[in-house]
Amino acid sequence: MKTLKKIGSQVIVLTGATSGVGLITARKAAALGARLVLVARGEDALHKLAEELREHGTEVITVAADVGKHEDVAAVAQAAIDRFGGFDTWINNAGVTIFGRHDDVPLEDHRRLFETNYWGVVHGSLAAVAHLRQNGGAIINMGSESCDCPLPLQSAYVASQHAIKGFTDTLRLELEQEKAPVSVTLIKAAGMDTPIVTHAKNFLHVEPRQASPLYDPS
């Protein structure tokens, strides 16, 4: 395994960069001196964050992309290579949830969640491996504690988290077998105080809330 660079010497690709864990991660990585490729769907939020970080001297580019689309993610990797000559760490952080009983959530919404949560991780991981296999580095996939357990009223989300775990664990084993210089990490976060609930679709008759305790991601 190739030794990973210090964060201050890295180029980091970060999806879901404009809110929650992604926003905190972007600010902390910038404070440590990393160069950043920030990815989200909303251009305005990306540009606002980029300007904030540039005021403190961070080198940053933004790419508006839907991680559920393979071609969008491929464009992210190419943008990082064009600007910085490559990247050292790729963080698949973009994610959404849906609240509702299993038979109340429309299949279209269930599938769209998988496009972001599961396929976003797959697209990002494959793009990262294609570059890191030769150059070395790290892939970090953001999961949750529901990778390993059920979570009533969020069946689509939980299913996507189980899929993320299965894909990530298998990817790690395959890269270890070929002795590729790539670290693969799955973070199984507990409940955190982020906007994921306010951004979620809700098919319940009440406003959803995350169960306590909620951790401050900062």
Side-chain angles (χ1 to χ4, degrees), residues 7 12-38 49 52-53 58 89-94 140 142 187 192 194 217-218:
I7 290 178
I12 298 175
V13 178
L14 172 63
T15 72
T18 55
S19 69
V21 171
L23 179 59
I24 296 297
T25 302
R27 287 171 172 162
K28 286 186 175 293
L32 291 170
R35 292 172 290 170
L36 299 174
V37 180
L38 303 179
L49 175 57
E52 172 195 322
L53 299 180
T58 302
T89 295
W90 186 297
I91 304 174
N92 290 305
N93 170 71
I140 300 173
M142 190 69 186
I187 296 175
M192 289 188 288
T194 72
S218 62

Side-chain angles (χ1 to χ4, degrees), residues 2-3 5 81 85-88 128-138 181-182:
K2 183 176 179 179
T3 301
K5 298 178 182 177
I81 292 168
F87 50 88
D88 304 289
V129 167
H131 178 73
L132 298 177
R133 182 180 274 116
Q134 286 77 39
N135 300 281
V182 184

Side-chain angles (χ1 to χ4, degrees), residues 154-183:
Q154 292 186 72
S155 59
Y157 176 79
V158 173
S160 73
Q161 295 301 302
H162 278 63
I164 287 168
K165 181 180 185 296
F167 175 82
T168 304
D169 289 347
T170 302
L171 176 66
R172 184 187 305 110
L173 288 173
E174 291 178 355
L175 291 173
E176 287 177 352
Q177 187 275 331
E178 67 180 74
K179 296 182 169 50
V182 184
S183 169

Side-chain angles (χ1 to χ4, degrees), residues 62-85:
T62 63
V63 185
D66 181 345
V67 297
K69 297 179 179 178
H70 179 263
E71 60 272 20
D72 280 18
V73 177
V76 171
Q78 191 60 52
I81 292 168
D82 291 345
R83 174 62 183 272
F84 297 117

Side-chain angles (χ1 to χ4, degrees), residues 12 40 47 59 61 67 70 109-110 141 146 161-162 165 173 185 189 194-195 197 201 204 206 210:
I12 298 175
H47 291 159
E59 289 188 66
I61 64 171
V67 297
H70 179 263
D109 290 303
H110 196 134
N141 292 337
S146 60
Q161 295 301 302
H162 278 63
K165 181 180 185 296
L173 288 173
T185 299
T194 72
V197 172
K201 281 198 170 185
L204 303 174
V206 296
Q210 293 197 78

